């Protein structure tokens, strides 16, 4: 039974960067594709990107290209997302999920609240 | 403004059947499969329906999905109070080369 456990809440000032981790337990992590999705307060879901567990290939939402990076460390079964040049509208809960959103993304991590405020 | 259009809210009484629509276009729903997610307040989304109409084993068969043309629907029969949640549709969009979500529908059980 795969479980995804994310790192704790973060607070950053505008212009800073944040890195969120997503640690998996269960089967061979190298076979896991990981998707990142965010949800601003009171808003809907927004797809950010996807990273292949087997090849490391990535697909980023155009909106985040250039300031968003996904990586995977198979030795620790952990996937990371880093968002740079943070703005107040980046305040959101960031979720990781195993698989592709349009495939069958499950399970999901518990979410990490990132607050951007001066 | 979401690429996929869902009603902001729907409601029903216990035991009733409700449907949630998801309208897209020829670049997403029209040519790709639809996935549905359920989200309770304060929790992470969970997979409800994939490949238009397939259910994970842990999802009750009261939940069903369908697709026709550029629209999809989620139906919930035998509505229960515990079904009160937000529901999101998603599909790959060939024009954007990525998945898109609907804006979400809040289901209220009266």
């Amino acid at each position: 039974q795969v479980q995804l456990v994310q790192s704790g809440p973060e607070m950053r000032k505008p212009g800073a960067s944040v890195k969120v981790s997503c640690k998996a337990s269960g089967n061979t992590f190298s076979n896991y594709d990981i998707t990142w999705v965010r949800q601003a307060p009171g808003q809907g879901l927004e797809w950010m990107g996807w990273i292949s567990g087997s090849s490391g290939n990535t697909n980023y939402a155009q909106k985040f290209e250039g300031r968003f990076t996904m990586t995977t460390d198979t030795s620790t079964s952990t996937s990371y997302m880093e968002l740079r040049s943070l703005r107040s509208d980046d305040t959101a809960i960031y979720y990781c999920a195993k698989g592709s959103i349009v495939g069958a993304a499950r399970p999901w991590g518990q979410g990490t609240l990132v607050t951007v405020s001066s | 403004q979401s690429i996929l259009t869902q009603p902001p809210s729907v409601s029903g009484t216990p035991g009733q059947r409700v449907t949630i629509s998801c309208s897209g276009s020829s670049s997403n729903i029209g040519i790709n499969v639809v996935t549905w997610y359920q989200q309770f307040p304060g929790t992470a989304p969970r997979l409800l329906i994939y490949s238009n109409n397939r259910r994970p084993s842990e999802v009750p068969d009261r939940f069903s999905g369908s697709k026709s043309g550029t629209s999809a629907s989620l139906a919930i029969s035998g509505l229960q109070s515990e079904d009160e949640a937000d529901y999101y549709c998603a599909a790959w969009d060939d024009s954007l080369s990525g998945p898109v979500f609907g804006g979400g529908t809040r289901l209220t059980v009266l």
Side-chain angles (χ1 to χ4, degrees):
Chain A
Q1 188 89 350
V2 176
Q3 268 195 309
L4 300 179
V5 179
Q6 298 183 223
S7 48
E10 303 274 9
M11 185 167 286
R12 294 286 187 275
K13 294 189 183 306
S17 300
V18 69
K19 193 168 187 177
V20 176
S21 67
C22 171
K23 184 173 176 59
S25 61
N27 297 328
T28 310
F29 186 71
S30 60
N31 294 331
Y32 293 177
D33 297 341
I34 295 290
T35 286
W36 289 91
V37 170
R38 76 177 186 179
Q39 186 171 37
Q43 302 300 308
L45 303 174
E46 182 176 30
W47 177 76
M48 299 183 71
W50 164 94
I51 182 167
S52 166
S54 56
S55 67
N57 288 343
T58 55
N59 184 11
Y60 293 99
Q62 192 171 20
K63 173 179 180 177
F64 301 103
E65 289 253 32
R67 68 183 189 105
F68 176 56
T69 303
M70 297 174 291
T71 55
T72 293
D73 182 345
T74 55
S75 68
T76 60
S77 299
T78 305
S79 191
Y80 299 91
M81 64 131 274
E82 182 180 33
L83 190 60
R84 300 174 291 279
S85 301
L86 289 167
R87 306 183 290 254
S88 58
D89 62 359
D90 290 319
T91 294
I93 297 175
Y94 290 77
Y95 294 103
C96 64
K98 174 179 172 293
S100 161
I101 283 297
V102 297
R106 61 167 175 161
W108 291 56
Q110 83 277 19
T112 296
L113 175 62
V114 175
T115 304
V116 183
S117 174
S118 55
Chain B
Q1 190 84 1
S2 301
I3 300 294
L4 304 182
T5 301
Q6 297 179 235
S9 63
V10 298
S11 63
T13 56
Q16 195 175 13
R17 181 179 186 271
V18 298
T19 60
I20 297 172
S21 61
C22 176
S23 177
S25 69
S26 57
S27 65
N28 42 65
I29 293 178
I31 54 174
N32 294 304
V33 296
V34 177
T35 308
W36 290 89
Y37 294 90
Q38 178 189 54
Q39 185 180 32
F40 297 107
T43 69
R46 76 152 180 164
L47 178 68
L48 197 64
I49 297 287
Y50 65 100
S51 294
N52 300 327
N53 55 18
R54 303 191 67 176
R55 280 178 294 105
S57 57
E58 66 271 19
V59 173
D61 59 6
R62 302 184 295 105
F63 293 88
S64 62
S66 63
K67 189 184 95 165
S68 177
T70 58
S71 292
S73 289
L74 173 71
I76 309 171
S77 59
L79 197 62
Q80 300 179 4
S81 58
E82 66 230 42
D83 298 332
E84 203 164 84
D86 294 326
Y87 294 85
Y88 294 89
C89 59
W92 185 268
D93 190 290
D94 280 22
S95 297
L96 297 174
S97 297
V100 289
F101 283 103
T105 298
R106 171 72 51 91
L107 169 63
T108 301
V109 181
L110 302 170

